[in-house]
Amino acid sequence: MTDWNGIEAADYAIPADRDLHELTGELSRALADPDPGIRDGAAYSVLGTWIERGVIDGPRRLALGDEMAARFGDPEIQARTFAPLVLDMLVGKGDFRTEWVDAFARWYQAEEDLRGHDEKLGWLHAVAHGADLLCAFGRHAEVDPARMLDLAAARLTAPTAHVWDQLEDDRLARAVARVLTRPDLSERDATGWLDAIAVEFGADRIVTPVPAQLSNCLRTLRLLYVLADRGVRSPADPGAAQEPLTHGEAVKARLAEVLDRIVRR
């Protein structure tokens, strides 16, 4: 097995006796490993650094992205939930295929295993990792931001028995807020995605016990209201100024209407 810790310690230099193609394949497999020490350790750091520095060239990165897109259909949960992290790295580097967006959209709204952390598997974070990629796609010039906002609504309204417990609501709210900073976003698109939530969770449709997805949605929308009011900053630059949402006042007004419609009993 490759000593990824040693590569990390050597400033990510490629071992002289190893083939980069072989190493890239091994890294890809490591990011689906059920052992969190392998999946979320030095291998993750090495892959991210090699992508960022261009050590892994363009054709190899596109092939890696195709592999991650296919991994959304993997039977193992950790394989599915780490795929968006790798795709986020690739999109951040400038790589993009519309097929990746399609594969992600199919998976994100349908994933049923929403555990943030598992005692044996470690971090899974389907919602949070997916939110990071939703943000990357939603801010990409070749992706319609309204599509990603609609996808966020689909994720928020999808039935589940799991109450998000590892700040997934925070990650998704921040991702949506950053999509809402796109200057080319129309006011209708900035607010229209909330219509599906209003219909799904209208006060006349609330049942008891309150479904987990309603709790998840309420917490996400409440934070989004704060971000619409205060602005949002990139997690990559926490010292940067908060960026205002393009139609912040309209988003706040519609959020208030939807939240009022949900909680009115």
Side-chain angles (χ1 to χ4, degrees):
M1 179 179 293
T2 300
D3 179 12
W4 301 114
N5 288 305
I7 293 175
E8 185 180 44
D11 194 30
Y12 304 96
I14 302 172
D17 60 342
R18 297 295 303 277
D19 175 72
L20 180 59
H21 180 75
E22 176 185 322
L23 287 169
T24 303
E26 191 174 333
L27 283 169
S28 174
R29 292 188 294 274
L31 268 292
D33 199 286
D35 182 345
I38 295 174
R39 186 178 73 252
D40 211 7
Y44 179 83
S45 176
V46 170
L47 181 60
T49 301
W50 282 359
I51 289 173
E52 181 183 6
R53 293 181 179 178
V55 174
I56 302 174
D57 62 25
R60 284 193 182 96
R61 294 198 305 269
L62 289 174
L64 182 62
D66 291 343
E67 188 175 346
M68 292 303 114
R71 198 167 283 178
F72 285 126
D74 195 283
E76 298 290 336
I77 178 60
Q78 77 282 349
R80 299 195 299 274
T81 62
F82 269 64
L85 292 182
V86 179
L87 283 169
D88 187 31
M89 296 175 188
L90 295 169
V91 174
K93 181 62 178 175
D95 303 303
F96 178 80
R97 278 182 170 157
T98 56
E99 293 84 358
W100 300 350
V101 185
D102 296 338
F104 167 65
R106 288 192 296 269
W107 167 75
Y108 195 49
Q109 62 187 315
E111 178 58 61
E112 297 180 352
D113 191 338
L114 305 182
R115 292 173 293 163
H117 188 271
D118 178 77
E119 184 176 342
K120 292 183 177 180
L121 294 173
W123 290 106
L124 298 174
H125 255 338
V127 174
H129 292 173
D132 294 348
L133 184 56
L134 183 145
C135 176
F137 282 145
R139 291 171 61 86
H140 196 282
E142 295 186 49
V143 178
D144 180 0
R147 182 183 182 189
M148 292 297 102
L149 295 172
D150 288 341
L151 181 58
R155 178 64 277 171
L156 287 166
T157 56
T160 180
H162 182 73
V163 176
W164 299 342
D165 57 0
Q166 296 294 335
L167 298 180
E168 288 89 352
D169 47 332
D170 182 278
R171 290 273 280 277
L172 184 52
R174 292 181 186 278
V176 170
R178 295 195 68 217
V179 174
L180 288 168
T181 64
R182 274 189 58 160
D184 59 338
L185 191 66
S186 71
E187 182 175 322
R188 173 56 190 161
D189 286 341
T191 60
W193 64 281
L194 289 162
D195 294 350
I197 295 174
V199 170
E200 183 66 23
F201 293 142
D204 58 336
R205 301 193 65 185
I206 296 178
V207 298
T208 52
V210 173
Q213 65 267 23
L214 176 55
S215 175
N216 299 335
C217 184
L218 281 170
R219 287 182 284 113
T220 303
L221 295 188
R222 286 166 181 159
L223 176 57
L224 181 58
Y225 185 94
V226 173
L227 296 172
D229 184 63
R230 304 284 293 177
V232 62
R233 59 171 57 95
S234 168
D237 189 5
Q242 292 168 315
E243 186 176 358
L245 278 59
T246 302
H247 300 285
E249 291 302 317
V251 171
K252 282 170 54 181
R254 184 57 179 147
L255 279 168
E257 292 172 354
V258 172
L259 287 167
D260 180 63
R261 176 179 171 85
I262 292 174
V263 300
R264 192 189 323 125
R265 301 303 296 268

